[in-house]
Amino acid sequence: MEIVAYPDPILREKAEPVYNIDQDTLDLIEIMGELMYGASGIGLAANQVGVAKQIFVFDLDYREKGRNLNALINPTIVLAEDRIEFEEGCLSVPDFLAKTTRRKYIKVTGIDKKGKPIDREAEGLLAVCIQHEIDHLNGTLILDHVSSLKRNLYTKRIAKLMRRDRDR
Ligand code: ZN
C-alpha cells in the first residue's frame, strides 16, 4: 500500500461506513499509521491509501512525545463553533498549501479501533486536522478550499508533470 496522490479518483469517492472492526480493519489502521509517520504527516484518511472506508488516523505531537496512533472510525461532527484561518498541506496534494477557514471548536463522535464510542471535543490544530480528514472521507480536498484560479494552476501543473513522466 502507498499514499495515493491527486488526481487519483479514489480521493473523490465518498467513504462507506465501517460496520465491523475485523482484523483487516486493524491491519489497515496499522499500515495507515506507518505510511503517515513515514511521510511525516499528522493525519491520514483511508481514501488516501486507496480504501473508501470511513477511517482516519492522526497523531499530532509524536515528534515531541513519541508515537500514539489515534484512529477514528465513522466520524461525525456534531458541534462546530467559531472560525479559524489556517494554512494546510496534504500528503495527497504534493507541493501545495491552501489557506482555509475552518471551525475552531468542534465536537466529534465515532468509534475507536476497539469499537468504543468516541465523543470528544477538539480545538485549534486538532480540530483542523479532524475536519481535513473528514473532508477526505467525503471526497473533498484542500484544492476545493481555494479559488478556482489557484486550483486550475495546480491541476495544470500536475497534468504537465504527468505528461512529462508518460513521455519519458
Ligand atoms: Zn489530506
Side-chain angles (χ1 to χ4, degrees), residues 66-85:
R67 290 181 180 187
N68 175 30
L69 186 68
N70 299 283
L72 193 52
I73 300 167
N74 302 343
T76 309
I77 291 174
V78 293
L79 195 82
E81 286 173 358
D82 295 349
R83 291 178 200 279
I84 184 173
E85 305 271 316

Side-chain angles (χ1 to χ4, degrees), residues 8-155:
D8 192 305
I10 189 83
L11 295 170
R12 290 310 195 178
E13 269 183 45
K14 213 169 154 47
E16 296 288 331
V18 176
Y19 296 109
N20 181 21
I21 303 172
D22 54 14
Q23 191 56 47
D24 285 351
T25 309
L26 296 175
D27 291 347
L28 174 64
I29 288 168
E30 284 309 305
I31 293 167
M32 285 167 63
E34 288 308 312
L35 290 169
M36 180 189 79
Y37 292 125
S40 300
I42 57 168
L44 192 72
N47 306 50
Q48 293 180 274
V49 298
V51 180
K53 285 185 181 170
Q54 289 184 23
I55 303 171
F56 70 85
V57 295
F58 61 102
D59 189 354
L60 262 53
D61 47 15
Y62 57 93
R63 291 184 197 90
E64 298 83 38
K65 296 184 180 166
R67 290 181 180 187
N68 175 30
L69 186 68
N70 299 283
L72 193 52
I73 300 167
N74 302 343
T76 309
I77 291 174
V78 293
L79 195 82
E81 286 173 358
D82 295 349
R83 291 178 200 279
I84 184 173
E85 305 271 316
F86 230 81
E87 192 166 56
E88 296 174 46
C90 177
L91 296 176
S92 293
V93 187
D95 304 320
F96 188 81
L97 286 174
K99 283 202 170 68
T100 59
T101 303
R102 297 288 192 182
R103 304 311 292 256
K104 191 171 178 188
Y105 303 98
I106 60 166
K107 196 169 178 185
V108 67
T109 63
I111 49 177
D112 71 7
K113 59 188 171 185
K114 295 191 176 107
K116 204 177 95 202
I118 296 290
D119 184 345
R120 74 184 280 180
E121 289 172 19
E123 66 173 291
L125 178 62
L126 179 58
V128 171
C129 173
I130 290 171
Q131 289 168 83
H132 179 118
E133 301 313 329
I134 290 177
D135 265 5
H136 275 300
L137 302 180
N138 289 317
T140 300
L141 296 170
I142 51 173
L143 291 168
D144 306 320
H145 287 268
V146 302
S147 68
S148 56
L149 178 69
K150 196 173 174 198
R151 182 165 54 247
N152 289 342
L153 282 173
Y154 183 77
T155 55

